Amino acid sequence: MDKQKDILNAALKLFTEFGFHGTPTSKIAQEAGVANGTLFHYFKTKDELIVALYVDIKKQLGFCVAKDIQAEDSIKETARKYYVAALHWGIDNETEFRYIQQFLSSPYVSMIPAELVEQSLAMINMIKEGIKQKLIKVTPAEYVMSIISSHLYGVNQYINSQKLSSAKQKQLINESFELVWKMIT
Amino acid sequence: MDKQKDILNAALKLFTEFGFHGTPTSKIAQEAGVANGTLFHYFKTKDELIVALYVDIKKQLGFCVAKDIQAEDSIKETARKYYVAALHWGIDNETEFRYIQQFLSSPYVSMIPAELVEQSLAMINMIKEGIKQKLIKVTPAEYVMSIISSHLYGVNQYINSQKLSSAKQKQLINESFELVWKMIT
Amino acid sequence: MDKQKDILNAALKLFTEFGFHGTPTSKIAQEAGVANGTLFHYFKTKDELIVALYVDIKKQLGFCVAKDIQAEDSIKETARKYYVAALHWGIDNETEFRYIQQFLSSPYVSMIPAELVEQSLAMINMIKEGIKQKLIKVTPAEYVMSIISSHLYGVNQYINSQKLSSAKQKQLINESFELVWKMIT
Amino acid sequence: MDKQKDILNAALKLFTEFGFHGTPTSKIAQEAGVANGTLFHYFKTKDELIVALYVDIKKQLGFCVAKDIQAEDSIKETARKYYVAALHWGIDNETEFRYIQQFLSSPYVSMIPAELVEQSLAMINMIKEGIKQKLIKVTPAEYVMSIISSHLYGVNQYINSQKLSSAKQKQLINESFELVWKMIT
DNA sequence: CATGAATGAGATTTCATTCAT
DNA sequence: GATGAATGAAATCTCATTCAT
């Protein structure tokens, strides 16, 4: 019914499987069950579709990650929640996660709209608070952020490649958080 | 004079700037200063060029990383040398590093020739030895490898984005190794 | 309020600026402030709109040219009035004038409806009368008509390209009529 | 053999018959007997082809008109030669002539390269000389030029529409020159 | 009457690849 | 080996037109 959503879904599936170049817009339209021209009704160009898909996924991730946080949580608790939520999301949305990677290491990165940049500000601020409280020993905050992000990315990669059981996954996720936390505190 | 090298250099420059799709073979030939058809003397197809470039870079990296290792080094010393060499290479060869990323998160990954896979075996074995000696506490070795790799990737990203001075870079690299080492031991 | 008129105005503006091909119906609708489909209520096809616009403009010109003629005027006086009125119209309606030219040297000419052809009959008849009275020396009437028309067109072109003052324009118009008249008598 | 020439010829034929819009590049390639892509090897865009064709024709006309002029000719003789040569060319190259008209009353006019503008300078200078010698009474030169050009255009139109015999054509051409000459002197 | 989302045929253009020289 | 004109399949995108609301 919602053709725009159908197109985004089709694009996600095909882009992650065949890459940006390997996926003609005609295939996307076909997979989405709409006419060729309809795609261009919703997205002026193929590039715009590629970026819009990234923005859409990033918003989903942002929403999912933020929803459990509570004001009274300690820094560590907040960090853990962010970390765990992101990892769970990455496991439940493997395709979306791969799309983000693919997008970020493509020349399309330069087209990310300004509005999205602010999203990761909440995490940076949390880290800064941790540093101010002398809880986090490593500085500056941006460096810590880099380390955590890539750690998260590596663990996700590992979990997906090993196809662990749900229980093992849960355990690994918690342990891996303690690992990073130990590293930066 | 060596046209094959010229073509690889041109391809590296253009692929990282405009992506695989955004770079026509004709532009590569032009940038390399050879005729359009000449490119196809050296590389049967564009895909073959893309993979060959990856293999070429990976070999450079492999060579550079392995060259300082000595048989009598301790596990930690060996690990540090690997880590530091890789990071230095990533900083000195920013473009090559970005190419690797771009390649690995593209559908071309599936075309990596078998010969290359063995390369990272040396590191895995080193980690396994560390685990056997109860030096490294985190298991299994593949997980540790994932963590180290992505950490390395994150630090590289950070250094490149911050454009630090050479001295600061050196310091950060050494400290960051201690960070990971602390985490896994 | 009169959407049909709005569409014709928008079409005139855009067609003269961007050409028939360079002007999508959607742009016309937008410029006219109506919905895309509305255009097709008033004009079954784009071609029909193009022809209708020509007919509309031609009728305005015909009306404007004929309105001053009086039965008792001499041949020369009648000719002058036609000539001067046409030229004034061409100056006051530069865009419309350009549309006519553009239309006449396009493949759409072949779609001019029969009803319009008779319009120029009045002038031809006047010339024939002039020839019969041995006032006009050049023959046949069609040839004279060709010469006058293109003269008129040339003068109009010149006036528009030079952006003369109103007074100069008036003078030039009158003089230019005497020039043609001298030529054919 | 000369594919570029073949393409120009095909384009001329089809553009005058079906208009710019009505002629797909694929049809041009087909008519020229070359592959679709070959057209774009010689002309980067369809627009470039359209302009290049105009320039090509204009050069032919310019060459043909200039070739009979001799230094010792009087002003009138020079003018007559220009006039007659242009008219003959217009009759012998009806299609080319129609292309010029079509082009000049299309939005492509604005793309005429600067190099072409100077071409008509020779005629303007001749007229100026005529004015200085008090031979030509009408001023300024640009106005005279406008009048002659459009007269020429009108006569050409008339001759083509009437399909006169060669002898009649010749006579008409000479007489028509005397007509304009009378008008401006 | 009016709308504008949807259509899909078709246009322009690109580009990997070939091959005669 | 080297060249670059030529190819033609295929990709992106446009746009006149329809039709359900």
Side-chain angles (χ1 to χ4, degrees), chain D residues 42-67:
Chain D
Y42 290 102
F43 306 96
K44 267 202 292 291
T45 62
K46 190 185 186 181
D47 283 13
E48 198 177 298
L49 167 61
I50 290 172
V51 175
L53 180 55
Y54 174 74
V55 171
D56 185 63
I57 292 176
K58 250 322 188 60
K59 277 186 181 154
Q60 286 175 46
L61 169 58
F63 178 76
C64 167
V65 161
K67 75 172 191 294

PDB file of all heavy atoms in Angstrom, chain D residues 42-67:
ATOM      1  N   TYR D  42      31.148  11.325 -31.586  1.00  0.00           N
ATOM      2  CA  TYR D  42      31.463  12.541 -32.339  1.00  0.00           C
ATOM      3  C   TYR D  42      30.837  13.795 -31.733  1.00  0.00           C
ATOM      4  O   TYR D  42      31.372  14.884 -31.854  1.00  0.00           O
ATOM      5  CB  TYR D  42      31.027  12.378 -33.788  1.00  0.00           C
ATOM      6  CG  TYR D  42      31.885  11.396 -34.524  1.00  0.00           C
ATOM      7  CD1 TYR D  42      31.469  10.101 -34.773  1.00  0.00           C
ATOM      8  CD2 TYR D  42      33.164  11.767 -34.928  1.00  0.00           C
ATOM      9  CE1 TYR D  42      32.285   9.190 -35.428  1.00  0.00           C
ATOM     10  CE2 TYR D  42      33.985  10.872 -35.595  1.00  0.00           C
ATOM     11  CZ  TYR D  42      33.536   9.590 -35.847  1.00  0.00           C
ATOM     12  OH  TYR D  42      34.363   8.704 -36.483  1.00  0.00           O
ATOM     13  N   PHE D  43      29.676  13.638 -31.131  1.00  0.00           N
ATOM     14  CA  PHE D  43      28.990  14.794 -30.537  1.00  0.00           C
ATOM     15  C   PHE D  43      28.571  14.414 -29.126  1.00  0.00           C
ATOM     16  O   PHE D  43      27.771  13.505 -28.949  1.00  0.00           O
ATOM     17  CB  PHE D  43      27.775  15.175 -31.374  1.00  0.00           C
ATOM     18  CG  PHE D  43      28.108  15.400 -32.824  1.00  0.00           C
ATOM     19  CD1 PHE D  43      27.939  14.376 -33.745  1.00  0.00           C
ATOM     20  CD2 PHE D  43      28.630  16.610 -33.261  1.00  0.00           C
ATOM     21  CE1 PHE D  43      28.264  14.561 -35.083  1.00  0.00           C
ATOM     22  CE2 PHE D  43      28.951  16.800 -34.589  1.00  0.00           C
ATOM     23  CZ  PHE D  43      28.774  15.773 -35.511  1.00  0.00           C
ATOM     24  N   LYS D  44      29.107  15.132 -28.165  1.00  0.00           N
ATOM     25  CA  LYS D  44      28.914  14.751 -26.760  1.00  0.00           C
ATOM     26  C   LYS D  44      27.449  14.665 -26.379  1.00  0.00           C
ATOM     27  O   LYS D  44      27.059  13.813 -25.592  1.00  0.00           O
ATOM     28  CB  LYS D  44      29.651  15.742 -25.849  1.00  0.00           C
ATOM     29  CG  LYS D  44      31.063  15.290 -25.499  1.00  0.00           C
ATOM     30  CD  LYS D  44      31.589  15.950 -24.222  1.00  0.00           C
ATOM     31  CE  LYS D  44      31.831  17.434 -24.361  1.00  0.00           C
ATOM     32  NZ  LYS D  44      32.952  17.796 -25.234  1.00  0.00           N
ATOM     33  N   THR D  45      26.647  15.593 -26.915  1.00  0.00           N
ATOM     34  CA  THR D  45      25.223  15.568 -26.597  1.00  0.00           C
ATOM     35  C   THR D  45      24.419  15.834 -27.860  1.00  0.00           C
ATOM     36  O   THR D  45      24.956  16.253 -28.882  1.00  0.00           O
ATOM     37  CB  THR D  45      24.850  16.653 -25.572  1.00  0.00           C
ATOM     38  OG1 THR D  45      25.139  17.922 -26.164  1.00  0.00           O
ATOM     39  CG2 THR D  45      25.632  16.519 -24.286  1.00  0.00           C
ATOM     40  N   LYS D  46      23.124  15.608 -27.759  1.00  0.00           N
ATOM     41  CA  LYS D  46      22.251  15.904 -28.883  1.00  0.00           C
ATOM     42  C   LYS D  46      22.314  17.407 -29.184  1.00  0.00           C
ATOM     43  O   LYS D  46      22.356  17.816 -30.346  1.00  0.00           O
ATOM     44  CB  LYS D  46      20.820  15.484 -28.542  1.00  0.00           C
ATOM     45  CG  LYS D  46      19.863  15.530 -29.702  1.00  0.00           C
ATOM     46  CD  LYS D  46      18.424  15.218 -29.262  1.00  0.00           C
ATOM     47  CE  LYS D  46      17.487  15.126 -30.442  1.00  0.00           C
ATOM     48  NZ  LYS D  46      16.082  14.859 -30.034  1.00  0.00           N
ATOM     49  N   ASP D  47      22.308  18.198 -28.153  1.00  0.00           N
ATOM     50  CA  ASP D  47      22.388  19.646 -28.329  1.00  0.00           C
ATOM     51  C   ASP D  47      23.629  20.043 -29.117  1.00  0.00           C
ATOM     52  O   ASP D  47      23.565  20.897 -30.007  1.00  0.00           O
ATOM     53  CB  ASP D  47      22.420  20.346 -26.959  1.00  0.00           C
ATOM     54  CG  ASP D  47      21.048  20.387 -26.328  1.00  0.00           C
ATOM     55  OD1 ASP D  47      20.153  19.678 -26.805  1.00  0.00           O
ATOM     56  OD2 ASP D  47      20.868  21.119 -25.347  1.00  0.00           O
ATOM     57  N   GLU D  48      24.731  19.431 -28.765  1.00  0.00           N
ATOM     58  CA  GLU D  48      25.978  19.760 -29.451  1.00  0.00           C
ATOM     59  C   GLU D  48      25.863  19.431 -30.939  1.00  0.00           C
ATOM     60  O   GLU D  48      26.350  20.181 -31.790  1.00  0.00           O
ATOM     61  CB  GLU D  48      27.130  18.989 -28.813  1.00  0.00           C
ATOM     62  CG  GLU D  48      28.479  19.566 -29.144  1.00  0.00           C
ATOM     63  CD  GLU D  48      29.613  18.818 -28.448  1.00  0.00           C
ATOM     64  OE1 GLU D  48      29.639  18.820 -27.203  1.00  0.00           O
ATOM     65  OE2 GLU D  48      30.462  18.240 -29.156  1.00  0.00           O
ATOM     66  N   LEU D  49      25.214  18.325 -31.235  1.00  0.00           N
ATOM     67  CA  LEU D  49      25.003  17.948 -32.635  1.00  0.00           C
ATOM     68  C   LEU D  49      24.177  19.011 -33.352  1.00  0.00           C
ATOM     69  O   LEU D  49      24.482  19.422 -34.477  1.00  0.00           O
ATOM     70  CB  LEU D  49      24.304  16.585 -32.698  1.00  0.00           C
ATOM     71  CG  LEU D  49      23.742  16.173 -34.052  1.00  0.00           C
ATOM     72  CD1 LEU D  49      24.846  16.078 -35.114  1.00  0.00           C
ATOM     73  CD2 LEU D  49      23.011  14.829 -33.953  1.00  0.00           C
ATOM     74  N   ILE D  50      23.117  19.451 -32.689  1.00  0.00           N
ATOM     75  CA  ILE D  50      22.225  20.441 -33.285  1.00  0.00           C
ATOM     76  C   ILE D  50      22.989  21.733 -33.616  1.00  0.00           C
ATOM     77  O   ILE D  50      22.850  22.282 -34.709  1.00  0.00           O
ATOM     78  CB  ILE D  50      21.048  20.741 -32.316  1.00  0.00           C
ATOM     79  CG1 ILE D  50      20.122  19.521 -32.256  1.00  0.00           C
ATOM     80  CG2 ILE D  50      20.277  21.972 -32.748  1.00  0.00           C
ATOM     81  CD1 ILE D  50      19.037  19.615 -31.200  1.00  0.00           C
ATOM     82  N   VAL D  51      23.792  22.181 -32.682  1.00  0.00           N
ATOM     83  CA  VAL D  51      24.559  23.402 -32.905  1.00  0.00           C
ATOM     84  C   VAL D  51      25.642  23.179 -33.963  1.00  0.00           C
ATOM     85  O   VAL D  51      25.841  24.006 -34.855  1.00  0.00           O
ATOM     86  CB  VAL D  51      25.185  23.912 -31.590  1.00  0.00           C
ATOM     87  CG1 VAL D  51      26.088  25.100 -31.850  1.00  0.00           C
ATOM     88  CG2 VAL D  51      24.102  24.284 -30.594  1.00  0.00           C
ATOM     89  N   ALA D  52      26.329  22.034 -33.877  1.00  0.00           N
ATOM     90  CA  ALA D  52      27.397  21.737 -34.832  1.00  0.00           C
ATOM     91  C   ALA D  52      26.855  21.709 -36.257  1.00  0.00           C
ATOM     92  O   ALA D  52      27.504  22.179 -37.202  1.00  0.00           O
ATOM     93  CB  ALA D  52      28.050  20.403 -34.493  1.00  0.00           C
ATOM     94  N   LEU D  53      25.656  21.185 -36.409  1.00  0.00           N
ATOM     95  CA  LEU D  53      25.050  21.131 -37.733  1.00  0.00           C
ATOM     96  C   LEU D  53      24.795  22.541 -38.254  1.00  0.00           C
ATOM     97  O   LEU D  53      25.052  22.849 -39.430  1.00  0.00           O
ATOM     98  CB  LEU D  53      23.735  20.337 -37.674  1.00  0.00           C
ATOM     99  CG  LEU D  53      22.967  20.193 -38.986  1.00  0.00           C
ATOM    100  CD1 LEU D  53      23.843  19.591 -40.081  1.00  0.00           C
ATOM    101  CD2 LEU D  53      21.723  19.322 -38.780  1.00  0.00           C
ATOM    102  N   TYR D  54      24.328  23.410 -37.367  1.00  0.00           N
ATOM    103  CA  TYR D  54      24.095  24.796 -37.757  1.00  0.00           C
ATOM    104  C   TYR D  54      25.396  25.462 -38.189  1.00  0.00           C
ATOM    105  O   TYR D  54      25.471  26.103 -39.241  1.00  0.00           O
ATOM    106  CB  TYR D  54      23.453  25.566 -36.607  1.00  0.00           C
ATOM    107  CG  TYR D  54      23.309  27.041 -36.888  1.00  0.00           C
ATOM    108  CD1 TYR D  54      22.340  27.495 -37.779  1.00  0.00           C
ATOM    109  CD2 TYR D  54      24.152  27.972 -36.298  1.00  0.00           C
ATOM    110  CE1 TYR D  54      22.212  28.846 -38.062  1.00  0.00           C
ATOM    111  CE2 TYR D  54      24.032  29.312 -36.580  1.00  0.00           C
ATOM    112  CZ  TYR D  54      23.061  29.747 -37.457  1.00  0.00           C
ATOM    113  OH  TYR D  54      22.947  31.076 -37.743  1.00  0.00           O
ATOM    114  N   VAL D  55      26.416  25.288 -37.386  1.00  0.00           N
ATOM    115  CA  VAL D  55      27.713  25.892 -37.691  1.00  0.00           C
ATOM    116  C   VAL D  55      28.227  25.384 -39.046  1.00  0.00           C
ATOM    117  O   VAL D  55      28.692  26.171 -39.886  1.00  0.00           O
ATOM    118  CB  VAL D  55      28.734  25.571 -36.577  1.00  0.00           C
ATOM    119  CG1 VAL D  55      30.135  25.989 -36.985  1.00  0.00           C
ATOM    120  CG2 VAL D  55      28.327  26.248 -35.277  1.00  0.00           C
ATOM    121  N   ASP D  56      28.111  24.098 -39.253  1.00  0.00           N
ATOM    122  CA  ASP D  56      28.565  23.478 -40.490  1.00  0.00           C
ATOM    123  C   ASP D  56      27.858  24.099 -41.710  1.00  0.00           C
ATOM    124  O   ASP D  56      28.489  24.503 -42.686  1.00  0.00           O
ATOM    125  CB  ASP D  56      28.285  21.982 -40.422  1.00  0.00           C
ATOM    126  CG  ASP D  56      28.833  21.245 -41.625  1.00  0.00           C
ATOM    127  OD1 ASP D  56      30.066  21.257 -41.787  1.00  0.00           O
ATOM    128  OD2 ASP D  56      28.030  20.682 -42.402  1.00  0.00           O
ATOM    129  N   ILE D  57      26.552  24.222 -41.624  1.00  0.00           N
ATOM    130  CA  ILE D  57      25.777  24.775 -42.732  1.00  0.00           C
ATOM    131  C   ILE D  57      26.133  26.243 -42.947  1.00  0.00           C
ATOM    132  O   ILE D  57      26.313  26.696 -44.082  1.00  0.00           O
ATOM    133  CB  ILE D  57      24.265  24.620 -42.461  1.00  0.00           C
ATOM    134  CG1 ILE D  57      23.887  23.142 -42.505  1.00  0.00           C
ATOM    135  CG2 ILE D  57      23.445  25.410 -43.468  1.00  0.00           C
ATOM    136  CD1 ILE D  57      22.451  22.862 -42.150  1.00  0.00           C
ATOM    137  N   LYS D  58      26.240  26.977 -41.844  1.00  0.00           N
ATOM    138  CA  LYS D  58      26.561  28.386 -41.944  1.00  0.00           C
ATOM    139  C   LYS D  58      27.915  28.593 -42.641  1.00  0.00           C
ATOM    140  O   LYS D  58      28.099  29.531 -43.412  1.00  0.00           O
ATOM    141  CB  LYS D  58      26.585  29.009 -40.544  1.00  0.00           C
ATOM    142  CG  LYS D  58      25.436  29.974 -40.226  1.00  0.00           C
ATOM    143  CD  LYS D  58      25.051  30.811 -41.388  1.00  0.00           C
ATOM    144  CE  LYS D  58      24.072  31.922 -41.201  1.00  0.00           C
ATOM    145  NZ  LYS D  58      24.360  32.989 -40.302  1.00  0.00           N
ATOM    146  N   LYS D  59      28.833  27.713 -42.373  1.00  0.00           N
ATOM    147  CA  LYS D  59      30.144  27.826 -43.005  1.00  0.00           C
ATOM    148  C   LYS D  59      30.052  27.567 -44.501  1.00  0.00           C
ATOM    149  O   LYS D  59      30.667  28.266 -45.312  1.00  0.00           O
ATOM    150  CB  LYS D  59      31.129  26.845 -42.346  1.00  0.00           C
ATOM    151  CG  LYS D  59      31.717  27.420 -41.074  1.00  0.00           C
ATOM    152  CD  LYS D  59      32.806  26.527 -40.479  1.00  0.00           C
ATOM    153  CE  LYS D  59      33.322  27.159 -39.182  1.00  0.00           C
ATOM    154  NZ  LYS D  59      33.871  26.139 -38.259  1.00  0.00           N
ATOM    155  N   GLN D  60      29.276  26.567 -44.859  1.00  0.00           N
ATOM    156  CA  GLN D  60      29.074  26.299 -46.289  1.00  0.00           C
ATOM    157  C   GLN D  60      28.508  27.524 -46.979  1.00  0.00           C
ATOM    158  O   GLN D  60      28.996  27.952 -48.027  1.00  0.00           O
ATOM    159  CB  GLN D  60      28.095  25.130 -46.486  1.00  0.00           C
ATOM    160  CG  GLN D  60      28.665  23.760 -46.182  1.00  0.00           C
ATOM    161  CD  GLN D  60      27.585  22.700 -46.299  1.00  0.00           C
ATOM    162  OE1 GLN D  60      26.801  22.668 -47.246  1.00  0.00           O
ATOM    163  NE2 GLN D  60      27.518  21.831 -45.299  1.00  0.00           N
ATOM    164  N   LEU D  61      27.459  28.094 -46.373  1.00  0.00           N
ATOM    165  CA  LEU D  61      26.825  29.273 -46.951  1.00  0.00           C
ATOM    166  C   LEU D  61      27.817  30.422 -47.063  1.00  0.00           C
ATOM    167  O   LEU D  61      27.935  31.078 -48.104  1.00  0.00           O
ATOM    168  CB  LEU D  61      25.625  29.681 -46.094  1.00  0.00           C
ATOM    169  CG  LEU D  61      24.993  31.038 -46.381  1.00  0.00           C
ATOM    170  CD1 LEU D  61      24.536  31.117 -47.841  1.00  0.00           C
ATOM    171  CD2 LEU D  61      23.811  31.310 -45.472  1.00  0.00           C
ATOM    172  N   GLY D  62      28.550  30.634 -45.990  1.00  0.00           N
ATOM    173  CA  GLY D  62      29.522  31.725 -45.970  1.00  0.00           C
ATOM    174  C   GLY D  62      30.552  31.565 -47.072  1.00  0.00           C
ATOM    175  O   GLY D  62      30.867  32.522 -47.800  1.00  0.00           O
ATOM    176  N   PHE D  63      31.023  30.385 -47.236  1.00  0.00           N
ATOM    177  CA  PHE D  63      32.028  30.108 -48.257  1.00  0.00           C
ATOM    178  C   PHE D  63      31.461  30.367 -49.653  1.00  0.00           C
ATOM    179  O   PHE D  63      32.058  31.050 -50.486  1.00  0.00           O
ATOM    180  CB  PHE D  63      32.489  28.661 -48.141  1.00  0.00           C
ATOM    181  CG  PHE D  63      33.483  28.272 -49.182  1.00  0.00           C
ATOM    182  CD1 PHE D  63      34.813  28.700 -49.078  1.00  0.00           C
ATOM    183  CD2 PHE D  63      33.111  27.504 -50.278  1.00  0.00           C
ATOM    184  CE1 PHE D  63      35.739  28.346 -50.051  1.00  0.00           C
ATOM    185  CE2 PHE D  63      34.028  27.153 -51.246  1.00  0.00           C
ATOM    186  CZ  PHE D  63      35.352  27.581 -51.131  1.00  0.00           C
ATOM    187  N   CYS D  64      30.265  29.835 -49.888  1.00  0.00           N
ATOM    188  CA  CYS D  64      29.628  29.952 -51.200  1.00  0.00           C
ATOM    189  C   CYS D  64      29.355  31.403 -51.550  1.00  0.00           C
ATOM    190  O   CYS D  64      29.529  31.833 -52.697  1.00  0.00           O
ATOM    191  CB  CYS D  64      28.343  29.138 -51.184  1.00  0.00           C
ATOM    192  SG  CYS D  64      27.261  29.445 -52.567  1.00  0.00           S
ATOM    193  N   VAL D  65      28.932  32.199 -50.567  1.00  0.00           N
ATOM    194  CA  VAL D  65      28.568  33.589 -50.817  1.00  0.00           C
ATOM    195  C   VAL D  65      29.809  34.449 -51.108  1.00  0.00           C
ATOM    196  O   VAL D  65      29.774  35.384 -51.907  1.00  0.00           O
ATOM    197  CB  VAL D  65      27.795  34.146 -49.597  1.00  0.00           C
ATOM    198  CG1 VAL D  65      27.801  35.662 -49.592  1.00  0.00           C
ATOM    199  CG2 VAL D  65      26.370  33.622 -49.604  1.00  0.00           C
ATOM    200  N   ALA D  66      30.915  34.106 -50.457  1.00  0.00           N
ATOM    201  CA  ALA D  66      32.101  34.954 -50.553  1.00  0.00           C
ATOM    202  C   ALA D  66      32.933  34.687 -51.803  1.00  0.00           C
ATOM    203  O   ALA D  66      33.733  35.525 -52.223  1.00  0.00           O
ATOM    204  CB  ALA D  66      32.958  34.762 -49.305  1.00  0.00           C
ATOM    205  N   LYS D  67      32.716  33.551 -52.418  1.00  0.00           N
ATOM    206  CA  LYS D  67      33.715  33.101 -53.399  1.00  0.00           C
ATOM    207  C   LYS D  67      33.776  33.913 -54.703  1.00  0.00           C
ATOM    208  O   LYS D  67      34.826  33.924 -55.362  1.00  0.00           O
ATOM    209  CB  LYS D  67      33.527  31.605 -53.702  1.00  0.00           C
ATOM    210  CG  LYS D  67      32.344  31.234 -54.580  1.00  0.00           C
ATOM    211  CD  LYS D  67      32.430  29.752 -54.920  1.00  0.00           C
ATOM    212  CE  LYS D  67      31.435  29.399 -56.004  1.00  0.00           C
ATOM    213  NZ  LYS D  67      30.019  29.540 -55.594  1.00  0.00           N
TER     214      LYS D  67
END
